[in-house]
């Protein structure tokens, strides 16, 4: 990793552009691996970001010298725009933490503290006969991508929310068989996950998005693995703070009430995860069929209970709040079952 190598080899002052999960993860990793901390975190809008992160100030770009080495720690969807903007304003000593660079950095960091092991590809793919199908979820409102790859033989597209439109962008749609396609505005990609749960029967089942792929190879799927997930983000100060950026307190309280009602014996353990630092995001994964089914049964049992609260929490019915709940629940399921499942982690790739 060029950014880490540069910081390891000298005392160059640096800043991190961003103040959310990508930036915070980069900060934690660089701090441990290099013994270095940034001069500051840079943001474009002070109102929607913390004032400081672990006593390191969060500031606007105009407070940063032009020769500062800047690591861009934001989602790849925004990187090109930010790089262009920095260069226009005279900042050229910059390094974009791409998805691949971030994966390498965070893999090394997690390995150094002994958590979240990564999967490795061993042998040739054609030597492995695995009944695997990963469903790439797409929607008729999706933006056109510039760099979308061809699908692998073990990938197929499924159109989510197909019952809400006459447009067809995939051969497979989530409105056939047992489905909740009509709830797509609430659940987003999870209506496709529901369809896979109820209608697919492969030994290994996966979910990814049209612009976010999970980089699974069949040779990774051995008898020593139950599920493959992307590496988690590190949330500041915790997962619930990240969740609260996207939903109201009414939705948060409803989720807590639901977990307490349905799983009173596990509620305290769930809270430890929710107020911990790690979160699996995007609801992308690849799991053995039995694990996938158990995850879905648990997940949709909880969201089904939340739907009963629509009368006094209209946000659950009228917005995509349940899709944000979905990320929390996906993370909660696998974090809280980490002692029972063999979980390995793989790279994700984002397309723009």
């Amino acid at each position: 990793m060029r950014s880490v190598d540069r910081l390891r080899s000298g005392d160059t002052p640096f800043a991190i552009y961003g103040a959310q999960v990508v930036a915070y993860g980069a900060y934690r990793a660089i701090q441990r691996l290099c013994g270095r901390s940034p001069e500051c975190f840079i943001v474009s809008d002070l109102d929607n970001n913390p004032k400081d992160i672990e006593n390191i100030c969060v500031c606007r770009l105009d407070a940063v010298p032009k020769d500062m080495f800047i690591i861009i720690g934001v989602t790849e969807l925004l990187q090109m725009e930010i790089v262009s903007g920095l260069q226009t304003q005279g900042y050229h000593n910059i390094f974009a933490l791409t998805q691949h660079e971030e994966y390498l950095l965070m893999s090394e960091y997690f390995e150094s503290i002994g958590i979240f092991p990564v999967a490795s590809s061993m042998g040739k793919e054609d030597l492995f006969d695995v009944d695997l199908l990963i469903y790439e979820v797409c929607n008729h409102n999706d933006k056109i991508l510039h760099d979308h790859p061809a699908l692998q033989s073990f990938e197929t597209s499924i159109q989510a929310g197909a019952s809400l439109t006459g447009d067809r962008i995939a051969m497979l749609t989530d409105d056939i068989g047992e489905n909740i396609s009509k709830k797509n505005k609430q659940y987003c990609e999870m209506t496709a996950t529901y369809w896979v749960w109820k209608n697919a029967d492969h030994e290994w089942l996966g979910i990814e998005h049209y612009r976010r792929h999970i980089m699974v190879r069949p040779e990774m799927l051995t008898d020593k693995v139950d599920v493959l997930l992307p590496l988690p983000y590190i949330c500041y100060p915790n997962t619930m703070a990240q969740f609260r950026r996207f939903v109201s307190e009414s939705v948060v309280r409803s989720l807590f009430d639901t977990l307490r009602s349905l799983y009173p014996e596990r509620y305290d353990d769930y809270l430890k995860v929710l107020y911990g630092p790690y979160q699996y995001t995007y609801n992308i994964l690849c799991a053995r069929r039995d694990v996938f089914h158990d995850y879905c049964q648990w997940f949709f049992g909880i969201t089904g209970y939340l739907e009963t609260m629509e009368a006094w929490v209209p946000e659950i019915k009228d917005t995509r709040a349940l899709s944000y709940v979905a990320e929390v629940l996906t993370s909660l399921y696998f974090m809280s079952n980490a002692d029972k499942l063999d979980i390995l982690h793989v790279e994700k790739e984002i397309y723009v």
Side-chain angles (χ1 to χ4, degrees):
M1 289 158 290
R2 290 173 291 157
S3 59
V4 173
D5 291 342
R6 179 171 176 176
L7 295 174
R8 278 179 174 143
S9 61
D11 56 0
T12 304
F14 73 101
I16 296 178
Y17 195 108
Q20 298 301 330
V21 289
V22 177
Y24 184 63
Y27 153 67
R28 289 281 296 272
I30 292 169
Q31 184 184 56
R32 178 174 177 84
L33 298 174
C34 306
R36 304 284 310 283
S37 294
E39 301 293 310
C40 62
F41 293 90
I42 304 169
V43 296
S44 59
D45 184 358
L46 293 175
D47 292 337
N48 296 317
N49 287 291
K51 295 181 179 179
D52 65 81
I53 297 175
E54 297 185 1
N55 297 318
I56 299 172
C57 71
V58 176
C59 63
R60 292 176 59 89
L61 182 63
D62 53 18
V64 178
K66 289 287 195 293
D67 60 350
M68 178 71 74
F69 177 42
I70 299 175
I71 297 174
I72 300 174
V74 301
T75 173
E76 200 147 333
L77 302 177
L78 302 174
Q79 284 183 8
M80 291 181 61
E81 178 183 350
I82 290 172
V83 168
S84 177
L86 288 173
Q87 291 174 339
T88 298
Q89 296 181 65
Y91 293 87
H92 298 285
N93 192 14
I94 58 181
F95 178 84
L97 196 66
T98 64
Q99 284 293 311
H100 183 62
E101 290 283 353
E102 181 194 3
Y103 174 74
L104 294 176
L105 176 64
M106 300 314 297
S107 296
E108 185 177 352
Y109 169 70
F110 287 132
E111 182 181 17
S112 76
I113 60 177
I115 58 175
F116 305 125
V118 301
S120 59
S121 295
M122 296 178 294
K124 296 182 179 179
E125 179 185 331
D126 58 9
L127 298 179
F128 291 82
D129 183 18
V130 178
D131 182 22
L132 161 68
L133 193 58
I134 297 178
Y135 293 82
E136 182 202 56
V137 183
C138 56
N139 181 272
H140 66 283
N141 290 318
D142 291 342
K143 296 180 180 179
I144 297 176
L145 302 180
H146 299 295
D147 60 351
H148 190 279
L151 296 183
Q152 302 286 328
S153 60
F154 50 83
E155 296 174 303
T156 190
S157 293
I158 180 171
Q159 181 177 345
S163 67
L164 303 178
T165 180
D167 296 338
R168 288 294 175 263
I169 60 172
M171 294 292 292
L172 180 61
T173 59
D174 72 345
D175 62 341
I176 58 174
E178 189 171 351
N179 71 86
I180 56 169
S181 179
K182 65 181 180 181
K183 297 181 180 181
N184 182 256
K185 290 181 179 179
Q186 297 165 270
Y187 280 88
C188 296
E189 71 277 351
M190 296 308 293
T191 62
T193 299
Y194 184 96
W195 186 93
V196 173
W197 171 37
K198 293 296 186 180
N199 298 282
D201 195 34
H202 298 278
E203 180 182 352
W204 285 87
L205 298 167
I207 294 290
E208 61 188 11
H209 306 163
Y210 86 108
R211 72 186 316 158
R212 297 183 182 95
H213 280 197
I214 182 168
M215 307 307 286
V216 172
R217 305 301 302 170
E219 61 267 29
M220 297 174 177
L221 307 179
T222 70
D223 57 5
K224 296 181 180 179
V225 182
D226 291 316
V227 60
L228 295 172
L229 292 160
L231 284 169
Y233 284 124
I234 309 176
C235 302
Y236 178 79
N238 53 50
T239 293
M240 288 312 301
Q242 178 72 6
F243 182 43
R244 284 185 163 99
R245 293 182 61 219
F246 303 103
V247 300
S248 69
E249 282 301 309
S250 295
V251 173
V252 173
R253 287 194 300 271
S254 298
L255 176 59
F256 285 173
D257 289 345
T258 297
L259 293 173
R260 187 186 299 108
S261 297
L262 295 181
Y263 297 98
E265 74 287 353
R266 300 205 65 187
Y267 183 68
D268 289 342
D269 291 334
Y270 286 166
L271 287 183
K272 291 178 183 177
V273 174
L274 294 175
Y275 283 98
Y278 305 115
Q279 183 181 15
Y280 292 120
T281 56
Y282 306 131
N283 301 314
I284 57 178
L285 62 109
C286 179
R288 293 185 186 278
R289 180 175 57 222
D290 60 329
V291 175
F292 190 91
H293 281 218
D294 187 73
Y295 152 69
C296 286
Q297 184 173 11
W298 177 89
F299 175 99
F300 288 106
I302 292 170
T303 57
Y305 192 96
L306 279 166
E307 286 189 68
T308 67
M309 302 179 180
E310 290 175 351
W312 56 93
V313 188
E315 190 177 349
I316 292 174
K317 181 179 180 181
D318 300 333
T319 74
R320 56 180 296 183
L322 285 181
S323 71
Y324 294 120
V325 170
E327 285 193 304
V328 172
L329 290 181
T330 297
S331 185
L332 181 57
Y333 177 85
F334 290 107
M335 293 284 181
S336 64
N337 286 295
D339 59 335
K340 304 180 184 69
L341 298 172
D342 290 318
I343 301 175
L344 291 180
H345 301 82
V346 296
E347 192 168 359
K348 66 180 179 295
E349 192 162 323
I350 294 180
Y351 308 109
V352 296

